[in-house]
Amino acid sequence: MSEPITDDGTRRKNQSDIKVRMEEFVMRVQHDFCRALEAEETGGKKFRVDRWLRKEGGGGVTCVMQEGETFEKAGVNVSVVHGTLPKGAVEQMRARGKKMKENVPFFATGVSCVIHPRNPFVPTVHFNYRYFEVEDDTGDKIWWFGGGTDLTPYYLNEDDAKHFHKTLKQACDKHGPAFYPKFKKWCDDYFVISHRGERRGIGGIFFDDLDKPSLEDCFKFIQSCGESVVESYVPLVNKHKNDPYTKEHREWQLLRRGRYTEFNLVYDRGTKFGLFTPGARFESILMSLPLYAKWEYMHIPDPSTPEGKLTEILKNPRDWV
């Protein structure tokens, strides 16, 4: 979608550096996913590509589509940033067990995506894959990967849920049988709207602080996960983008988008980290929010309806594969 943020000369000189390899990988994921989504836009809508630089170090490429026939809002963002980690971010990482001093140098790169479709029978998807590198309190370099992919349907289709989870499981299983069940549970436990007592969606995989067994093994795992996003999601778009729907279906979609917004603004760790970072590009951080959302006082769906059945699944996650 755009040239990488790091200049050609630096990349050629450091081809084996994980920072360069990860940047090139997330750029490729962004390109492939955006092109796959554009192919589902019957009206020919394309992504707006916004390349930006950060005065504190690095920059990014934000790709956004709004008011398409298939996608009401779609955002796929790549960031490649470096500098000094701010106090708020240091405190957040210390709370996760990282031994870090003040004013620590850092490097971070990743791809993040949220897709809000127009049709209520097409689910929303989110994915994020990232690499982080800092110095600890002794001056040694420490690194880790994080990320995940998760699905937020408005109307539950069990075949879709099974396809989505099966695709993620296949990506994880290439690296061992323990990854999918561990990261599936982590996802269920992370995307919780605590004040509502429900999950944001039907899960997927989520992980952080991945630094074993080796850097190379972790990078291969990240590649498998990132390469699975098109297959896990785009067939669901193609299957449902022309499904007929009513005003009532649309109203429920907007209510669920309100819940999505609540999680992202109140609980999401990535949003908080981004907002703590000096020179943060707020438009890119907040691209995950839908164009339209709705809140109604004391809205409780009838348990016997499709809306009620989805709500029950969100309160009590289940296994899909």
Side-chain angles (χ1 to χ4, degrees), residues 187-201:
C187 188
D188 288 338
D189 292 342
Y190 177 76
F191 289 104
V192 178
I193 309 171
S194 298
H195 60 276
R196 300 281 190 182
E198 63 188 39
R199 273 70 183 171
R200 189 175 74 176

Side-chain angles (χ1 to χ4, degrees), residues 109-128:
T109 185
V111 58
S112 59
C113 163
V114 177
I115 308 301
H116 294 294
R118 187 170 296 279
N119 192 306
F121 292 103
V122 179
T124 279
V125 76
H126 158 260
F127 68 80
N128 173 284

Side-chain angles (χ1 to χ4, degrees), residues 16 32-34 45 61 63 73 96 104-105 143 205 252 280 286 319:
S16 62
D32 292 350
F33 196 68
C34 286
K45 192 87 170 178
V61 179
C63 298
K73 185 179 180 186
R96 286 162 41 210
V104 61
W143 57 266
I205 57 172
W252 174 247
L286 299 176
D319 292 331

Side-chain angles (χ1 to χ4, degrees), residues 88-141:
V90 170
E91 290 173 353
Q92 188 183 15
M93 291 181 181
R94 284 174 177 165
R96 286 162 41 210
K98 305 290 184 187
K99 297 180 179 179
M100 298 170 63
K101 59 187 179 182
E102 302 290 341
N103 302 315
V104 61
F106 83 97
F107 170 87
T109 185
V111 58
S112 59
C113 163
V114 177
I115 308 301
H116 294 294
R118 187 170 296 279
N119 192 306
F121 292 103
V122 179
T124 279
V125 76
H126 158 260
F127 68 80
N128 173 284
Y129 291 100
R130 58 193 179 272
Y131 171 76
F132 214 94
E133 191 176 286
V134 296
E135 289 183 6
D136 65 13
D137 54 8
T138 66
D140 292 333
K141 182 177 80 173

Side-chain angles (χ1 to χ4, degrees), residues 1 15 19 42 49 71 206 245 256 267 311 315 319:
M1 304 301 289
Q15 286 182 349
K19 296 191 291 293
T42 53
V49 180
F71 303 107
F206 176 84
Y245 63 90
R256 290 309 314 171
Y267 299 109
T311 302
K315 291 180 181 294
D319 292 331

